[in-house]
Each structure stands twice: as C-alpha cells, then as structure tokens.
Amino acid sequence: MADHQQNHNALSLPHSVFSADWVRENEKIGARHLGVSLYQLMERAGEAAFLLCRKQYPDARRWLILCGHGNNGGDGYVIARYARQYGIEVTIIGCGDENTLPAEARQARENWINNYGTVLSHDVRWPENCDLIVDGLLGTGIQSAPKQPYSDLIKMANHHGAPIVALDIPSGLDANTGIACGEVINAAQTLTFVALKPGLLTGQARDVIGELYYNALGLSRWLAEQKTPIQRLTVASLNQWIKPRRSSSHKGEHGKLLVIGGDIGTGGAIRMTGEAALRTGSGLVRVLTRYEHIGPILAARPELMVQALDRESLAQGIAWADMIAIGPGLGLSDWAKDAIKLVAESEKIMLWDADALNLLAIVPDKRQNRIITPHPGEAARLLQCNIEQIESDRLHSAKELASRYGGVVVLKGAGTVIADDSGQIAIADVGNAGMASGGMGDVLSGIIASLAGQRITPFDAACAGCVVHGAAGDLVAQRQGERGMMATDLLSEIPKLVNP
C-alpha cells in the first residue's frame, strides 16, 4: 500500500477538508475573490500538474494523456500544451462528445488542437514506448462505477506498466467516500486541486492515490476564511491538545483511570490497554480483570494496580476513577454483562470498546459521556447493517453512530473517522497497513482513555489518541517495516508523541 504519509510532501497538505460538492459549487466564488476566471484556474492546474510530472519523471519523453468529458479532461489538455512546448512527445486520447464539454474544458481542447495536433479516439491502439500516463478521465463528480469506454481505459492504464499521475483524484474513486465501485486508476502520484477531499484520506484511497500532492491554485487565503467542515489530523495537530506539564504537578493531577476487561484467555488485551495508558501519561491506572490474570499482568507491568473484577471492586473502582475504559477482552459472559450494567450507571466519562460494543448492540442506549471505538464489524452490528454498508461511506457511518449512540465515535480503519453528535468530524491521516494485527485496538483504547482522564475533552482526546496511535505505528514501520508489526511494538513509541 502506498502511504502518502511517508513522503516529504505530507507536511504541505492542509488540515482542512471540504466535500467535492462544496468545492464544485464554490470554486467560482473563490476565483471571483481572486479576480481570475475559471479558465485561468484550469491553466494553473495544468501548469502545476506539468511541473509535478517533470519533477517526478524527468526522463519521461513520451506522455500519454487521457482526457475525459469534464474539467478534469480540460486540465489534461493544458498539461499536453505545456509538455509539447517543452519538447515532450504527447499523445492525447479523448472520451465523450466534445460538444458536451464545459466551456473551460472546450477552450483548453481547442487551444491544443489549434496549436499542436489532434485528439485520438478512445478505441485507437495505444502508442508504443509510452513512459508516463496522465489520468484526466473522471474527476470528483463520479459516484458510481465508471461506464464504457472509461472502465476499459482505466483497466488498460493500470496494466500498461508506465507510472500514472492522477489529476485531482484517481478516476473511479469517489471523492467524498473514498470508495471505488468499479475500475479505478492505480496512481503513483495524485495531485489534487483547490481543497483536500475526504475521499483522498479514507476508505480505499490509500490503495490507489500513491503519493498525495496538493495545489490550492492561489485560493489558499480564500479557503482559510471558510468554515472547515472536516479536520485532517496529523502529528502536527498534537500540540493543540497536549501541553507541557507543570513542574510541580503530581500523579493525582494526571488522571486516575479504571480499565475493565480480560476474561479467561484474553488477559493480554487488558494488559495492553493498561500499559498504553501509562505510556500516554496517566497518573494511576487500575485494572479489574479475572483473578487468573493478576499475577502475569503484575509480573509484566508492576506499575499497574490489578485486582479481580467483582461487584465490590468495581463499585470501589468507579468511585475512585476519573475515567473508565471497558471492553478489551471482556467477553460476553454474565461476568461481562454485570460489569457493563454497573459501569453504565456512572456519569463519569468512559470509553467502550470491543465486547462492550457488542453488548451495547444488544441493549442500545444513547449517552453523552461516552467514547465508542468500533471497527467496521462492530459498527455494522451497532447500526444493524453489513460491513459493506459501513465502508461504502465511512463519514456517514460515523455520523450515524454518533447520532444514534451519542457522545464521541471513533470508526477505526484506514483513515479513522472521529465524529460527535454536535457535527464535529475529523479524519486521522496517520497509520499504515502493518497495524492490521491483533491488539492494536486495545492499545488505542488505552491511549484515548488516558488522554480523556488528563482533562482533555472527549472529542479532542479521541482525535489526539488516534493521531498518537497511528503515528506510533508509522514510527515502528520506519524502523522495522510494516509486516510483522505487533501492538506491543507501539508502546515504546507513545511517549515520544505525547511530550510536546
């Protein structure tokens, strides 16, 4: 999986994300604000893409540019003109009726034909020895599987062997959801224009966008004045939430966290949650679990306070705690159900994960003092649908979970989505495929619960926790690679991220 977080350009990506529909409806307003026409914006987009192609592939001398029937294709015609001026051999394959092109794209096409040559039909034989493909077939408006001839052209481009640079978004990828319903361009680089779109950051996006680049086309100042509907979260975001401690502070000021779970055979889950909380900075962490796990947990991590979970110890723990986390390794037995019932009576801030969510799906309730952290399977049970429906629109699924269950929702996955029922929404743009292994969610629960116990608001704690978790995984991947990564590998990296 290509991960754009591994390239240096990630630092230049904005932290504001706008829907593709909003960009289409408002970019003309931004152009007027700047005093330029939409065609001039197209010229800027084409020039920016040409420069990126030259920078990435300086030795490529034969470019194939695929132009669709929208403004995405118009950008392609502009790139072609710049490339020919530079002495590059350019072939353009066009799709759609030229009479249906938007005015700006039609002007770009006419400028190409009048100055440099022809546009080939979609069914022609592709030129031999092409060493770069530019994807300008389908833009951000697609919401279903590409139809013919687009699907065939996408398939041919993917099998050609030459690297592909996608304009705005890989053709076939939904710019709002990050889902591909059919054929989709597998790009080596994607250059998106004006604003980041959510479909570039979640869902299947990371499989197909390659390295992600961004150009505001001169509209940065205007965009900065607009209300940000979705936040993009990175390591650079952490300082807004995690502040240095007072030199005279003591452990009682840094959160007393109660962690509940670990049925027979799953003591490792609750131990990882507890240690992750300690590594994140909790002053005190008490673990309530099966009696059989007390010795092994204390031997592995003596800084944890560990007791057998029963009604008395749970009541005492709830009264003692500033923050409660329940679910890792909890199971679905009567022992687990009794614990959930007692915890649910508390008004303290709490986090529910894993089997606590499976029990919540059976007896649903809505409350504002809770953070829930479902993976797509648990989210499907909570919303009584299937995983495909959850993944088809991850942002909508997170919003629906927040509306139905209240509090804060962390919908885990590639491009984790954080939402609450007041309308706040964010995407954690960190993490990698190596984190698809057992125990990662237990570590995440400990991080988020620890931060919430350190007097960070539940939404901010969820945002910060997801960033710390994903970034810790990225540090491990940089050190040893993705395959073979274990959840406990993250523990030593957490302190590096929670100290500003």
Side-chain angles (χ1 to χ4, degrees), residues 462-477:
C463 289
C466 289
V467 171
V468 169
H469 183 251
D474 289 338
L475 289 174
V476 174

Side-chain angles (χ1 to χ4, degrees), residues 11 13 17 24 46 73 131 146 197 205 221 267 289 295 313 345 356 387 398 400 480-482:
L11 294 175
L13 297 177
V17 182
R24 282 193 298 274
D131 45 19
K197 295 86 182 174
R221 248 181 228 181
T289 185
S313 66
E345 294 173 1
I387 294 175
E400 183 64 21
Q480 66 183 43
E482 294 180 356

Side-chain angles (χ1 to χ4, degrees), residues 51-129:
L51 292 173
L52 177 64
C53 291
R54 286 289 301 144
K55 180 180 179 181
Q56 294 294 318
Y57 304 101
D59 298 326
R61 305 303 302 171
R62 292 172 294 274
W63 295 12
L64 172 62
I65 301 180
L66 306 175
C67 294
H69 62 275
N71 283 332
N72 203 239
D75 298 336
Y77 290 116
V78 176
I79 296 169
R81 201 177 74 246
Y82 276 105
R84 278 294 297 271
Q85 289 170 356
Y86 198 80
I88 292 169
E89 182 182 328
V90 177
T91 301
I92 293 184
I93 291 178
C95 278
D97 184 353
E98 64 182 276
N99 296 317
T100 64
L101 285 171
E104 295 78 20
R106 186 163 60 249
Q107 183 178 345
R109 185 180 189 277
E110 290 171 355
N111 285 346
W112 163 256
I113 291 175
N114 292 339
N115 288 284
Y116 295 106
T118 60
V119 177
L120 301 180
S121 172
H122 64 83
D123 54 2
V124 300
R125 183 183 179 89
W126 282 27
E128 296 182 6
N129 301 320

Side-chain angles (χ1 to χ4, degrees), residues 20 34 75 95 151 167 251 305 319 363 383 393 408 438 493-494:
L34 195 64
D75 298 336
C95 278
S151 58
L167 305 179
K251 62 187 178 184
M305 300 180 288
V363 186
L383 291 180
D393 192 338
V408 177
E493 305 296 342
I494 293 171

Side-chain angles (χ1 to χ4, degrees), residues 51-236:
L51 292 173
L52 177 64
C53 291
R54 286 289 301 144
K55 180 180 179 181
Q56 294 294 318
Y57 304 101
D59 298 326
R61 305 303 302 171
R62 292 172 294 274
W63 295 12
L64 172 62
I65 301 180
L66 306 175
C67 294
H69 62 275
N71 283 332
N72 203 239
D75 298 336
Y77 290 116
V78 176
I79 296 169
R81 201 177 74 246
Y82 276 105
R84 278 294 297 271
Q85 289 170 356
Y86 198 80
I88 292 169
E89 182 182 328
V90 177
T91 301
I92 293 184
I93 291 178
C95 278
D97 184 353
E98 64 182 276
N99 296 317
T100 64
L101 285 171
E104 295 78 20
R106 186 163 60 249
Q107 183 178 345
R109 185 180 189 277
E110 290 171 355
N111 285 346
W112 163 256
I113 291 175
N114 292 339
N115 288 284
Y116 295 106
T118 60
V119 177
L120 301 180
S121 172
H122 64 83
D123 54 2
V124 300
R125 183 183 179 89
W126 282 27
E128 296 182 6
N129 301 320
C130 162
D131 45 19
L132 179 66
I133 298 173
V134 177
D135 164 34
L137 286 172
L138 298 168
T140 59
I142 187 170
Q143 296 177 334
S144 58
K147 299 177 181 177
Q148 295 290 6
Y150 290 98
S151 58
D152 277 350
L153 289 172
I154 292 171
K155 197 180 300 183
M156 290 170 68
N158 287 337
H159 286 92
H160 185 276
I164 304 173
V165 175
L167 305 179
D168 216 4
I169 193 164
S171 292
L173 188 69
D174 189 306
N176 287 322
T177 66
I179 292 301
C181 297
E183 297 294 335
V184 59
I185 284 288
N186 189 358
Q189 287 84 24
T190 297
L191 175 60
T192 198
F193 305 117
V194 181
L196 280 187
K197 295 86 182 174
L200 293 165
L201 304 174
T202 192
Q204 295 169 253
R206 290 191 178 187
D207 291 335
V208 298
I209 64 172
E211 295 177 333
L212 179 60
Y213 293 83
Y214 165 76
N215 194 297
L217 307 183
L219 299 178
S220 298
R221 248 181 228 181
W222 170 75
L223 269 178
E225 297 171 357
Q226 312 307 309
K227 182 180 178 182
T228 302
I230 303 168
Q231 299 178 64
R232 170 179 166 265
L233 307 176
T234 68
V235 174

